[in-house]
Amino acid sequence: MNILCGGQSVRLRPHLLGAGLLLGAVLEVLRASGIDWTHEDGSLALAFNQWTAVALIALAVGWCASWIAGILRDGTTQRLRSAERRTLLRDSSAGAPTALAATTALLLTGCYVSGAPLLAMPLSYASMVITGIAFAFGIASCAALWFRVYENLDPADSLVHATLCIGIAGIVRFIMSSHDPIATLLVFAACCLASYAGLIASLSTNAAEPDAASDERDEASEDGSANAETARIAAKSALHILWLPLAALSIVGFIQGLVWNPVVSQTAIAGPLNIQALDVPIGGLVACGAVIIALRLMPSELRCQSIADGGVPIAMGILLLYPVIIPQETVVNDLLGWLPQLGFALIVLFSWQSLMLAQRASRASGAPVLALGLLLAALSYAVGLTLIHVIGTGGRDLCLVLLTIYLVLFCIFLAQETRTEQQGRTSDELRPETFIHRRCDELAGEHGISPRETEVLYLLGRGYNHTYIARKLFVSENTVRTHVRHIYGKLGLSSREELLDLIDEDAS
């Protein structure tokens, strides 16, 4: 089955959807933790969540520290050379033992927490600490392996499958929220095993199929890979991509921590048969449908980041305006309760996609980029959990303040981006984009210009300089210069003026 995305056909690969099964199962275990809120205070479940977050923070910090130590030791940014990257991405045996250990940890700890009420097992604080740490190990390890799989995909391919995973995660959470311990255990176990099978299949597929996107990144990174200026620009590009979505993810993690205890936060307790139980799957499915439609309408691969750039502030706007506009405990609130879940789903999706794009921009292994995302999400969630009993219902006002600050910062960022784009033009003349793309496509077909070089050609034809093109395509300026040199060679040109004249030849 293929999905059309702006003229590009994306082949649907079911084994990649195992990430969605695991995401939904893990989130529901953290939310429910085997608690019946009508009879329990949730103190032990709170300890489980807190120690899971603390362990994730420790793992992420250790991850980053080891990467920085490698930089200091080797004097490089440890970007993988072409042969090493291919070996890492295509060696399924390297990830299989980690996948087995991580899945086993998740399976045992998740079943222990969720199945304790069914088996009348005595729980203690010490057991919750150990279980939380083991659960965090499983989350971090599986996230790292799925990140390895997804970073090896084309951006549109990655976004399509991640979007479908968000919809699947919502359905899994709805099924697991049945409050039937047996059904919850069976669904959780099935999701873990299916995710493991999908992960192994994905790693094996990497070994069997050459990856054009990865090869392209390797070729582009060969020139000046040890150059300090290139590394600085790459890191700046990665931070430019990440700061808005990760700031949103941190706020969402904080909100989820504050509302984890529905008794203290006075939020609705979703039962298996009431309308609130449908909010999570509806929100996830609406997010899935909206992104798929946007992908089908986008004109080119370059729109993947544009969708994320627009989707994150829209999601934050929903989270900000919903509690202000929609009255609590009304029929309207019951019918539109899925809107906040839509916002949460979009932010998780676009944060994951931004991590993918930042990894491409940084030319580094995925470890520091993913570790940064895990660190911020776990830290904000831990802070929210800690402040539950301190803030109580006052957390709603604090969340509104944080969301407002975020949207103000986004407006400032958008104004700066607009000014930067205007300054990036080397010509005052505004060229019609449709004509330029058509003319560049003609030149690319006639002279054997590659798809990536064609993207650079589009921007060169519109008058942008190397710095702006590097930021737009998430590459270094050295990589842009290499592409420009190849374009000039294939077209038999020696300057930008000759290129613009060639593109304008058909203007009459």
Side-chain angles (χ1 to χ4, degrees):
M1 177 181 177
N2 293 336
I3 299 177
L4 187 63
C5 297
Q8 177 182 355
S9 180
V10 174
R11 179 168 61 90
L12 182 62
R13 286 171 273 190
H15 55 83
L16 293 175
L17 303 182
L21 295 172
L22 188 66
L23 175 64
V26 167
L27 290 178
E28 189 59 25
V29 167
L30 289 173
R31 185 200 67 82
S33 303
I35 304 173
D36 181 358
W37 287 107
T38 59
H39 300 95
E40 301 177 49
D41 62 0
S43 57
L44 291 178
L46 176 61
F48 167 70
N49 276 263
Q50 287 176 327
W51 279 99
T52 298
V54 169
L56 281 174
I57 294 170
L59 288 170
V61 170
W63 211 341
C64 292
S66 63
W67 185 76
I68 294 173
I71 294 176
L72 297 177
R73 181 181 66 251
D74 300 335
T76 71
T77 56
Q78 288 190 321
R79 285 186 295 275
L80 301 176
R81 294 183 183 275
S82 177
E84 293 171 337
R85 178 182 289 274
R86 292 190 182 97
T87 299
L88 176 63
L89 292 173
R90 299 176 186 175
D91 184 7
S92 59
S93 62
T98 303
L100 179 59
T103 303
T104 301
L106 286 175
L107 193 58
L108 293 178
T109 54
C111 288
Y112 175 73
V113 172
S114 301
L118 175 66
L119 302 176
M121 298 173 60
L123 298 177
S124 65
Y125 185 84
S127 66
M128 289 294 98
V129 171
I130 297 173
T131 303
I133 294 174
F135 199 67
F137 163 77
I139 293 174
S141 300
C142 287
L145 290 172
W146 278 116
F147 190 88
R148 179 193 299 184
V149 170
Y150 270 74
E151 74 173 1
N152 202 32
L153 301 175
D154 176 84
D157 203 355
S158 172
L159 184 56
V160 166
H161 286 89
T163 300
L164 295 175
C165 284
I166 289 295
I168 291 173
I171 296 174
V172 169
R173 292 189 63 186
F174 171 70
I175 296 174
M176 288 183 63
S177 65
S178 64
H179 289 219
D180 182 348
I182 296 179
T184 299
L185 285 175
L186 291 177
V187 173
F188 177 75
C191 288
C192 288
L193 294 176
S195 174
Y196 172 73
L199 191 52
I200 294 301
S202 300
L203 294 172
S204 300
T205 302
N206 283 340
E209 296 182 359
D211 176 47
S214 178
D215 293 343
E216 184 180 85
R217 293 195 302 269
D218 296 332
E219 178 183 355
S221 64
E222 285 179 358
D223 69 288
S225 62
N227 186 283
E229 179 65 15
T230 302
R232 185 188 66 80
I233 294 175
K236 185 177 179 180
S237 298
L239 291 175
H240 178 266
I241 297 168
L242 283 175
W243 84 268
L244 274 175
L246 288 190
L249 182 65
S250 299
I251 294 175
V252 166
F254 180 69
I255 293 174
Q256 292 299 315
L258 282 179
V259 301
W260 175 82
N261 187 327
V263 177
V264 177
S265 61
Q266 296 184 11
T267 54
I269 301 175
L273 298 178
N274 62 22
I275 194 170
Q276 286 84 7
L278 294 171
D279 291 344
V280 171
I282 292 176
L285 291 174
V286 171
C288 179
V291 175
I292 292 296
I293 292 173
L295 282 169
R296 289 180 64 87
L297 297 177
M298 72 179 185
S300 72
E301 175 186 347
L302 296 178
R303 298 303 181 190
C304 283
Q305 181 61 25
S306 299
I307 293 175
D309 290 341
V312 172
I314 289 174
M316 296 298 284
I318 292 173
L319 296 177
L320 172 63
L321 296 177
Y322 182 83
V324 176
I325 297 177
I326 307 299
Q328 297 292 320
E329 300 179 357
T330 61
V331 175
V332 176
N333 181 56
D334 291 338
L335 294 177
L336 298 180
W338 54 269
L339 280 174
Q341 298 299 329
L342 167 63
F344 292 141
L346 289 175
I347 290 170
V348 171
L349 170 63
F350 292 136
S351 296
W352 176 262
Q353 184 67 11
S354 296
L355 289 172
M356 299 290 109
L357 294 174
Q359 187 277 329
R360 285 171 170 258
S362 67
R363 304 297 179 191
S365 65
V369 176
L370 177 61
L372 179 61
L374 283 176
L375 175 62
L376 292 177
L379 182 61
S380 58
Y381 184 60
V383 172
L385 288 171
T386 304
L387 295 179
I388 286 178
H389 295 282
V390 177
I391 298 179
T393 56
R396 297 177 183 175
D397 297 332
L398 178 58
C399 291
L400 290 177
V401 171
L402 292 175
L403 291 171
T404 303
I405 293 174
Y406 177 88
L407 292 178
V408 170
L409 290 176
F410 171 76
C411 293
I412 296 173
F413 172 78
L414 184 62
Q416 292 177 339
E417 282 293 288
T418 302
R419 185 166 60 252
T420 301
E421 181 174 348
Q422 293 173 348
Q423 294 174 348
R425 294 186 181 276
T426 57
S427 172
D428 292 333
E429 178 185 3
L430 182 61
R431 306 172 186 276
E433 183 175 345
T434 53
F435 162 74
I436 292 174
H437 279 210
R438 178 172 59 83
R439 180 61 176 150
C440 290
D441 288 337
E442 292 175 357
L443 293 174
E446 294 171 359
H447 299 276
I449 297 175
S450 71
R452 191 60 164 174
E453 291 168 350
T454 303
E455 292 177 1
V456 176
L457 184 59
Y458 289 156
L459 298 174
L460 286 173
R462 292 171 61 189
Y464 290 111
N465 58 28
H466 290 181
T467 301
Y468 181 82
I469 294 174
R471 292 184 58 188
K472 191 71 174 177
L473 299 182
F474 316 118
V475 297
S476 69
E477 288 191 54
N478 279 346
T479 300
V480 174
R481 293 189 186 96
T482 299
H483 286 315
V484 172
R485 187 166 61 249
H486 292 165
I487 292 171
Y488 285 176
K490 292 177 181 179
L491 295 177
L493 306 175
S494 59
S495 67
R496 182 189 295 268
E497 287 73 19
E498 292 180 1
L499 174 64
L500 296 179
D501 289 341
L502 180 63
I503 292 176
D504 285 340
E505 276 184 2
D506 198 34
S508 59

